């Protein structure tokens, strides 16, 4: 057992995977919160943002967790993020609501939207909440899972934070990664949770690939002539490829229309690249839906049916090259359990970036927190 920043995790928290060290999730949450507070964010909001950011790391979405902190800080310093937003409901019906995020951090805006969606589902059987004037909010499944934790079905979609995908047959980027997540509660094991970008790879995955000094596989990006692009340091020159060809383009377009256009948020050419233009308001849009299964029958029976179908899927004979058949969400649940016990891995490049940020904000560096607080 090891103790990191006063938080105990199982195993050897100093275990290295190459140049990767592991850190207790609570320590990383605290580091992110400290950084936000140092910049002027209220403490309660900073703590909530830190938890939601690191929830992405726990689930294995490394490109959407603590990795994003330096980028958020750059936007705050440039005036592109509001540290004390007035997140408000600007339109409401019985089961729906539209939230204006006042240019606040997306994690705070979307979690507020999720709370309203869940409350509406408790009263009306369904809640759909859209956002505008929001920002990047991290991993989609973090929010889709919030209704599932209450026994509801969760659905989440967002307009991504920079256009890198051309319309099918085009060569000019007009769409972002526009992710979607669905979480369905089960009577056994973890909920069924899918979370994916409508592009083959997310920009977060490409950025973390570059940080590790690795090449991208063919099929993630192409250049403007349609040739494979495998150098992640040239990603700004390239175009993302959609999942499933024209079907992925169509799905990304539909998600963007529901998360962006429906809410009066940016979509298409109006989307602002949050990294290339850190001082500008992005007007990011998202939607979240919570659905109560009770109007369709006994929720316990529904959860049992989900569990039964999941068993059938897992019970299928695996093809050569596969150890077992999994259900969406199995890997996520395994990673959460493993990283809670063993710590969140931080590659050397990311740790260096965070330590530089700590120096700029007059905070204890990540490495010092780890080394000075570890006991066997």
């Amino acid at each position: 057992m090891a103790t990191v920043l006063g938080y105990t995790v199982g195993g050897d928290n100093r275990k290295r995977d190459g140049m990767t060290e592991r850190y207790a999730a609570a320590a990383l949450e605290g580091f992110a919160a400290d950084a936000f507070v140092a910049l002027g964010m209220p403490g309660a909001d900073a703590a909530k943002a830190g938890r939601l950011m690191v929830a992405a790391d726990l689930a294995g979405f490394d490109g959407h967790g603590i990795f994003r902190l330096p980028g958020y800080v750059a936007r705050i310093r440039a005036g592109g993020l509001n540290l004390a937003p007035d997140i408000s409901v600007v339109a409401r019906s019985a089961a729906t609501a539209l939230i204006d995020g006042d240019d606040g951090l997306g994690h705070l805006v979307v979690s507020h939207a999720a709370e309203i969606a869940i409350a509406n589902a408790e009263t009306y059987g369904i809640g759909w909440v859209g956002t505008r004037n929001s920002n990047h909010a991290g991993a989609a499944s973090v929010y889709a899972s919030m209704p599932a934790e209450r026994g509801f079905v969760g659905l989440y979609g967002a307009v991504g934070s920079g256009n890198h995908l051309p319309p099918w047959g085009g060569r000019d980027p007009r769409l972002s990664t526009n992710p979607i997540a669905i979480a369905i509660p089960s009577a056994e094991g973890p909920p069924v949770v899918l979370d994916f970008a409508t592009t083959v790879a997310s920009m977060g995955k490409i950025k973390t690939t570059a940080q590790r000094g690795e090449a991208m596989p063919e099929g993630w990006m192409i250049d403007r002539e349609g040739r494979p692009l495998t150098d992640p340091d040239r990603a700004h020159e390239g175009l993302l490829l959609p999942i499933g060809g024209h079907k992925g383009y169509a799905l990304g377009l539909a998600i963007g229309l529901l998360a962006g256009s429906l809410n009066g948020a940016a979509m298409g050419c109006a989307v602002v690249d949050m990294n290339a233009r850190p001082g500008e308001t992005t007007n990011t849009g998202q939607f979240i839906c919570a659905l109560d299964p009770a109007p369709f029958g006994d929720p316990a029976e529904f959860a049992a049916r989900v569990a039964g179908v999941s068993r059938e899927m897992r019970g299928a004979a695996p093809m050569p090259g596969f150890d077992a058949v999994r259900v969406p969400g199995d890997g996520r649940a395994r990673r959460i359990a493993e990283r809670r016990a063993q710590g969140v891995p931080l590659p050397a490049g990311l740790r260096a970036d965070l330590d530089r940020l700590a120096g700029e904000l007059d905070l204890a560096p990540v490495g010092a927190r780890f080394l000075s607080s570890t006991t066997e």
Side-chain angles (χ1 to χ4, degrees):
M1 300 293 287
T3 301
V4 183
L5 267 183
Y7 301 97
T8 300
V9 297
D12 183 359
N13 205 60
R14 297 173 299 175
K15 180 179 179 181
R16 289 175 175 267
D17 300 320
M19 291 300 292
T20 297
E21 291 183 335
R22 289 178 175 259
Y23 296 80
L28 297 180
E29 292 169 8
F31 180 82
D34 288 348
F36 287 132
V37 169
L39 292 162
M41 184 179 288
D45 285 351
K48 186 175 188 178
R51 288 194 302 272
L52 292 171
M53 285 178 65
V54 178
D57 292 299
L58 285 170
F61 294 96
D62 298 329
H64 291 293
I66 197 77
F67 168 82
R68 293 283 182 169
L69 183 60
Y72 295 156
V73 170
R75 282 187 52 74
I76 291 170
R77 287 171 163 167
L81 268 172
N82 185 354
L83 287 169
D86 179 16
I87 302 171
S88 59
V89 175
V90 294
R92 184 189 291 273
S93 73
T96 67
L98 174 63
I99 286 181
D100 190 299
D102 194 25
D103 205 27
L105 188 68
H107 305 69
L108 303 177
V109 179
V110 179
S111 59
H112 185 60
E115 293 167 3
I116 295 175
I118 291 168
N120 285 353
E122 291 173 338
T123 303
Y124 303 108
I126 190 171
W128 180 291
V129 181
T131 72
R132 69 186 186 199
N133 291 319
S134 181
N135 276 284
H136 186 267
S141 58
V142 170
Y143 306 102
S145 295
M146 289 178 177
E149 292 168 0
R150 304 285 288 274
F152 301 149
V153 174
L155 172 66
Y156 172 84
V159 177
S161 298
N163 286 339
H164 305 281
L165 172 71
W168 187 249
R171 60 190 297 173
D172 297 320
R174 293 288 184 268
L175 290 170
S176 188
T177 55
N178 294 4
I180 186 168
I182 303 173
I184 305 170
S186 174
E188 299 173 6
V192 176
V193 180
L194 64 86
D195 178 350
F196 55 80
T198 49
T199 51
V200 175
S202 70
M203 286 306 297
K205 181 177 288 188
I206 290 170
K207 291 176 186 295
T208 55
T209 299
Q211 192 176 60
R212 294 192 302 268
E214 300 173 358
M216 296 185 292
E218 287 193 14
W220 282 15
M221 298 194 84
I222 55 174
D223 65 17
R224 297 301 178 95
E225 303 303 320
R227 296 170 300 205
L229 181 63
T230 59
D231 182 355
D233 290 327
R234 294 179 54 210
H236 62 283
E237 305 173 19
L239 301 169
L240 291 173
L241 290 171
I243 58 172
H246 66 282
K247 296 179 182 180
Y249 153 63
L251 179 60
L253 176 63
I255 292 169
L257 293 173
L258 293 175
S261 302
L262 180 64
N263 301 332
M267 174 58 180
C269 293
V271 169
V272 172
D273 188 321
M274 70 172 187
N275 295 306
R277 297 150 67 182
E280 296 186 27
T281 297
T282 61
N283 188 17
T284 299
Q286 296 106 351
F287 68 78
I288 185 161
C289 177
L291 174 66
D292 185 356
F296 302 89
D298 184 346
E301 292 182 2
F302 168 62
R305 290 196 293 271
V306 173
V309 172
S310 297
R311 285 196 303 272
E312 291 176 355
M313 298 300 111
R314 296 186 187 102
M319 288 282 287
F322 288 82
D323 294 329
V325 174
R326 299 188 304 178
V327 170
D330 286 353
R332 177 179 183 272
R334 176 185 54 78
R335 284 188 295 271
I336 290 173
E338 186 266 338
R339 291 185 174 192
R340 284 198 185 281
Q342 301 294 329
V344 173
L346 288 191
L350 176 54
R351 174 181 156 176
D353 287 346
L354 296 178
D355 282 348
R356 279 192 292 270
L357 179 62
E360 295 170 6
L361 298 177
D362 197 24
L363 302 174
V366 173
R369 292 176 181 228
F370 167 70
L371 293 172
S372 65
S373 305
T374 300
T375 60
E376 292 295 315

